[in-house]
mmCIF file of all heavy atoms in Angstrom:
data_model
loop_
_atom_site.group_PDB
_atom_site.id
_atom_site.type_symbol
_atom_site.label_atom_id
_atom_site.label_comp_id
_atom_site.label_asym_id
_atom_site.label_seq_id
_atom_site.Cartn_x
_atom_site.Cartn_y
_atom_site.Cartn_z
ATOM 1 N N TYR A 45 -12.209 -14.323 -14.410
ATOM 2 C CA TYR A 45 -11.055 -13.426 -14.331
ATOM 3 C C TYR A 45 -11.569 -11.979 -14.180
ATOM 4 O O TYR A 45 -12.519 -11.577 -14.846
ATOM 5 C CB TYR A 45 -10.194 -13.566 -15.611
ATOM 6 C CG TYR A 45 -9.568 -14.938 -15.673
ATOM 7 C CD1 TYR A 45 -10.228 -15.989 -16.288
ATOM 8 C CD2 TYR A 45 -8.308 -15.198 -15.099
ATOM 9 C CE1 TYR A 45 -9.692 -17.239 -16.365
ATOM 10 C CE2 TYR A 45 -7.749 -16.431 -15.172
ATOM 11 C CZ TYR A 45 -8.421 -17.477 -15.800
ATOM 12 O OH TYR A 45 -7.885 -18.743 -15.842
ATOM 13 N N HIS A 47 -10.829 -7.879 -14.236
ATOM 14 C CA HIS A 47 -10.008 -6.740 -14.649
ATOM 15 C C HIS A 47 -10.741 -5.481 -14.226
ATOM 16 O O HIS A 47 -11.935 -5.319 -14.484
ATOM 17 C CB HIS A 47 -9.774 -6.742 -16.144
ATOM 18 C CG HIS A 47 -8.620 -5.873 -16.547
ATOM 19 N ND1 HIS A 47 -7.310 -6.271 -16.514
ATOM 20 C CD2 HIS A 47 -8.569 -4.531 -16.873
ATOM 21 C CE1 HIS A 47 -6.492 -5.306 -16.885
ATOM 22 N NE2 HIS A 47 -7.254 -4.227 -17.112
ATOM 23 N N LEU A 69 -20.327 -7.995 -24.491
ATOM 24 C CA LEU A 69 -19.209 -8.760 -25.036
ATOM 25 C C LEU A 69 -19.387 -10.233 -24.603
ATOM 26 O O LEU A 69 -19.657 -10.557 -23.462
ATOM 27 C CB LEU A 69 -17.926 -8.212 -24.446
ATOM 28 C CG LEU A 69 -16.625 -8.451 -25.238
ATOM 29 C CD1 LEU A 69 -16.705 -7.826 -26.632
ATOM 30 C CD2 LEU A 69 -15.442 -7.879 -24.478
ATOM 31 N N ALA A 112 -15.092 -12.038 -16.305
ATOM 32 C CA ALA A 112 -15.306 -12.711 -17.565
ATOM 33 C C ALA A 112 -14.676 -14.111 -17.546
ATOM 34 O O ALA A 112 -13.861 -14.435 -16.657
ATOM 35 C CB ALA A 112 -14.703 -11.895 -18.726
ATOM 36 N N GLU A 113 -15.059 -14.906 -18.538
ATOM 37 C CA GLU A 113 -14.547 -16.280 -18.603
ATOM 38 C C GLU A 113 -13.060 -16.352 -18.944
ATOM 39 O O GLU A 113 -12.386 -17.352 -18.623
ATOM 40 C CB GLU A 113 -15.353 -17.050 -19.628
ATOM 41 C CG GLU A 113 -16.865 -17.127 -19.376
ATOM 42 C CD GLU A 113 -17.212 -18.048 -18.214
ATOM 43 O OE1 GLU A 113 -16.296 -18.792 -17.761
ATOM 44 O OE2 GLU A 113 -18.396 -18.083 -17.804
ATOM 45 N N ARG A 114 -12.549 -15.347 -19.626
ATOM 46 C CA ARG A 114 -11.140 -15.282 -20.007
ATOM 47 C C ARG A 114 -10.553 -13.979 -19.553
ATOM 48 O O ARG A 114 -11.212 -12.927 -19.586
ATOM 49 C CB ARG A 114 -10.980 -15.499 -21.502
ATOM 50 C CG ARG A 114 -11.488 -16.844 -22.002
ATOM 51 C CD ARG A 114 -11.477 -16.961 -23.518
ATOM 52 N NE ARG A 114 -10.108 -16.961 -24.035
ATOM 53 C CZ ARG A 114 -9.577 -16.039 -24.823
ATOM 54 N NH1 ARG A 114 -10.325 -14.993 -25.194
ATOM 55 N NH2 ARG A 114 -8.318 -16.129 -25.259
ATOM 56 N N SER A 115 -9.273 -13.986 -19.202
ATOM 57 C CA SER A 115 -8.606 -12.755 -18.745
ATOM 58 C C SER A 115 -8.585 -11.691 -19.851
ATOM 59 O O SER A 115 -8.762 -10.523 -19.605
ATOM 60 C CB SER A 115 -7.198 -13.036 -18.260
ATOM 61 O OG SER A 115 -6.411 -13.602 -19.290
ATOM 62 N N GLU A 116 -8.369 -12.164 -21.107
ATOM 63 C CA GLU A 116 -8.336 -11.215 -22.222
ATOM 64 C C GLU A 116 -9.672 -10.548 -22.450
ATOM 65 O O GLU A 116 -9.750 -9.344 -22.741
ATOM 66 C CB GLU A 116 -7.891 -11.923 -23.512
ATOM 67 C CG GLU A 116 -6.474 -12.485 -23.486
ATOM 68 C CD GLU A 116 -6.407 -13.887 -22.866
ATOM 69 O OE1 GLU A 116 -7.456 -14.362 -22.332
ATOM 70 O OE2 GLU A 116 -5.319 -14.487 -22.897
ATOM 71 N N THR A 117 -10.742 -11.324 -22.256
ATOM 72 C CA THR A 117 -12.086 -10.757 -22.404
ATOM 73 C C THR A 117 -12.379 -9.715 -21.320
ATOM 74 O O THR A 117 -12.951 -8.668 -21.576
ATOM 75 C CB THR A 117 -13.128 -11.893 -22.322
ATOM 76 O OG1 THR A 117 -12.848 -12.876 -23.320
ATOM 77 C CG2 THR A 117 -14.538 -11.340 -22.567
ATOM 78 N N ALA A 118 -11.978 -10.054 -20.096
ATOM 79 C CA ALA A 118 -12.172 -9.097 -18.986
ATOM 80 C C ALA A 118 -11.463 -7.789 -19.245
ATOM 81 O O ALA A 118 -11.999 -6.692 -19.008
ATOM 82 C CB ALA A 118 -11.693 -9.718 -17.677
ATOM 83 N N ARG A 119 -10.242 -7.881 -19.725
ATOM 84 C CA ARG A 119 -9.453 -6.657 -20.012
ATOM 85 C C ARG A 119 -10.085 -5.861 -21.131
ATOM 86 O O ARG A 119 -10.195 -4.621 -21.066
ATOM 87 C CB ARG A 119 -8.028 -7.038 -20.352
ATOM 88 C CG ARG A 119 -7.096 -5.858 -20.460
ATOM 89 C CD ARG A 119 -5.647 -6.287 -20.410
ATOM 90 N NE ARG A 119 -4.750 -5.154 -20.300
ATOM 91 C CZ ARG A 119 -3.493 -5.225 -19.899
ATOM 92 N NH1 ARG A 119 -2.991 -6.389 -19.511
ATOM 93 N NH2 ARG A 119 -2.728 -4.167 -19.808
ATOM 94 N N GLU A 120 -10.525 -6.550 -22.197
ATOM 95 C CA GLU A 120 -11.141 -5.815 -23.319
ATOM 96 C C GLU A 120 -12.446 -5.138 -22.855
ATOM 97 O O GLU A 120 -12.736 -3.982 -23.190
ATOM 98 C CB GLU A 120 -11.444 -6.780 -24.451
ATOM 99 C CG GLU A 120 -12.114 -6.139 -25.664
ATOM 100 C CD GLU A 120 -12.478 -7.108 -26.751
ATOM 101 O OE1 GLU A 120 -12.154 -8.318 -26.629
ATOM 102 O OE2 GLU A 120 -13.091 -6.673 -27.748
ATOM 103 N N ALA A 121 -13.240 -5.848 -22.062
ATOM 104 C CA ALA A 121 -14.493 -5.302 -21.592
ATOM 105 C C ALA A 121 -14.313 -4.101 -20.675
ATOM 106 O O ALA A 121 -15.078 -3.126 -20.736
ATOM 107 C CB ALA A 121 -15.305 -6.405 -20.861
ATOM 108 N N ALA A 122 -13.261 -4.198 -19.846
ATOM 109 C CA ALA A 122 -13.001 -3.056 -18.957
ATOM 110 C C ALA A 122 -12.738 -1.791 -19.743
ATOM 111 O O ALA A 122 -13.103 -0.663 -19.307
ATOM 112 C CB ALA A 122 -11.795 -3.384 -18.033
#
Side-chain angles (χ1 to χ4, degrees):
Y45 294 88
H47 197 86
L69 204 62
E113 301 287 350
R114 298 173 67 244
S115 60
E116 296 86 352
T117 304
R119 188 164 188 161
E120 180 183 357

